């Protein structure tokens, strides 16, 4: 089968489209013939984390397709079922943090940028009927992350004001739709005027440039909950814009990881800072019920053919996307 593989050279230079052995079926697992697969920023990071002396690795965490083989012991899935893949391995029940041994598809295990993948049966759910294959393939990782950020950690509620810096992000386009469905007011930022316009079309109530003076632009706003994933470039601006006693949930650091904060201002302001990452199988099921109930569809910016992998990775690296991009396989 054809697969996008990383090997030998660090970074995107180590990517190629190769023939790879089709995975065998095992007990309690299903094999999925993939139709589409979504890209995440993690796929770029994996090309640096996967060691150059390790065997070739198929990248990719997100995918959707049709079950073409069922292992012994599988009860709730059958041949021909249309499914989406939950890329979080080993996190079944809701808990404060992922359990020891939690992994994400696409490192260390082979991922979804291939014609077939074998995954534990508990990691597939029936494809929501209102989604196209493109929408289903780009949904899992980003929508699950946004769901836990907004609801489990951020506890967003009707009437809250939520702020989302860097709205081009795949995860944050879901966060915008989830927050609006929950009845919140949503402020977004982006470095691009065009992305701000796109976000307004999706329901954003206020939109400002990331590089602007937020305190000046948003002087009449009171931000209850801010979702921070840009990292060093914006973290302190984010901390300064939330109301006293307000909350930041952070799940990423697209720029640098390390930030310095004024701890005295922090404790006098009675702020809350929460971390979040992905989510459990239970949250994945809840997220699917939520998007079905509210008829939410992923924001698909662009799909690439699997052979256009170089273009697709560069497009994401250069943050040209508004929402999700993915492969048709
Ligand atoms: N912990 C988890 O479970 C988890 C899950 C998913 C993602 N993540 C992490 O969360 C982050 C976002 O993920 P994603 O896939 O949604 O990202 P993405 O689609 O790559 O988007 C990141 C956004 O950040 C903004 N940005 C990038 N560089 C910037 C800079 N120098 N200054 C200001 N803004 C900048 C851009 O927004 P504009 O283009 O609008 O300016 C960009 O669209 C990544 O770091 C990712 O690794 C973590």
């Amino acid at each position: 089968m054809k697969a996008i593989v990383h090997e030998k050279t660090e970074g995107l230079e180590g990517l190629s489209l190769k023939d790879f052995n089709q995975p065998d079926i095992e007990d309690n697992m299903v094999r999925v013939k993939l139709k589409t697969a979504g890209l995440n920023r993690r796929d770029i990071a994996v090309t640096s984390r996967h060691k150059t002396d390790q065997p070739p690795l198929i990248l990719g965490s997100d995918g959707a397709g049709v079950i073409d083989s069922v292992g012994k012991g599988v009860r709730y899935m059958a041949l021909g079922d249309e499914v989406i893949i939950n890329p979080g391995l080993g996190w079944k029940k809701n808990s404060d943090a992922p359990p020891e041994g939690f992994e994400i598809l696409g490192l260390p295990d082979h991922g979804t940028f291939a014609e077939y993948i074998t995954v534990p049966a508990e990691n597939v759910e029936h494809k929501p009927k209102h989604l196209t294959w493109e929408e289903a393939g780009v949904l899992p990782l980003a929508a699950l992350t946004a769901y836990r950020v907004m609801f489990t950690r951020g506890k967003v509620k009707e009437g809250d004001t939520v702020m989302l810096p860097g709205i081009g992000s795949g995860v944050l386009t879901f966060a915008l739709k989830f927050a609006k469905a929950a009845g919140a007011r949503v402020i977004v930022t982006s470095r691009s005027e065009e992305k701000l316009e796109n976000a307004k079309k999706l329901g954003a109530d206020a939109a400002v440039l990331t590089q602007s003076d937020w305190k000046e632009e948003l002087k009449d706003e009171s931000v209850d909950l801010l979702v921070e994933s840009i990292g060093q470039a914006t973290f302190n601006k984010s901390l300064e814009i939330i109301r006293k006693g307000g909350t930041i949930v952070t799940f990423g650091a697209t720029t640098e990881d390390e930030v310095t904060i004024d701890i005295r201002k922090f404790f006098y302001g009675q702020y809350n800072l929460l971390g979040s990452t992905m989510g459990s199988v239970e949250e994945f099921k809840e997220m699917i019920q939520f998007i079905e109930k509210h008829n939410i569809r992923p924001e698909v910016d662009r799909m690439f053919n699997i052979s256009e992998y170089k273009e697709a990775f560069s497009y994401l690296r250069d943050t040209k996307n508004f929402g999700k991009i993915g492969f048709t396989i």
Side-chain angles (χ1 to χ4, degrees), residues 94-95 147-156 283 286:
N94 287 342
S95 57
Y147 187 85
R148 184 171 168 88
V149 162
M150 296 307 303
F151 298 107
T152 312
R153 304 294 280 151
K155 297 196 168 33
V156 67
E283 282 165 315
E286 286 167 26

Side-chain angles (χ1 to χ4, degrees), residues 150 154-163 179-180 182-187 205 222-225 243:
M150 296 307 303
K155 297 196 168 33
V156 67
K157 57 185 190 313
E158 195 174 349
D160 279 354
T161 295
V162 174
M163 184 160 167
K180 289 308 298 177
R185 174 174 170 76
V186 181
I187 304 166
D205 300 281
S222 173
V223 177
D224 301 294
L225 172 65
R243 68 164 170 81

Side-chain angles (χ1 to χ4, degrees), residues 123-135:
N123 280 81
V124 292
E125 297 293 333
H126 287 113
K127 175 173 99 55
K129 291 209 167 36
H130 72 291
L131 299 186
T132 63
W133 281 113
E134 286 75 14
E135 290 166 340

Side-chain angles (χ1 to χ4, degrees), residues 40-42 141 145 166-172 189-192 195 210 229-230 233-234 251-255 276-278 316 319 321 323-324:
N40 292 285
R41 192 149 286 275
R42 179 178 192 272
L141 191 150
T145 305
I167 191 62
S169 144
V171 177
L172 294 188
T189 87
S190 174
R191 294 160 301 168
S192 143
K195 290 187 188 183
T210 304
S229 64
I230 298 175
T234 48
F251 70 90
T254 300
T255 56
S276 192
T277 204
M278 299 270 297
L316 186 64
T319 60
N321 58 306
K324 297 298 302 179

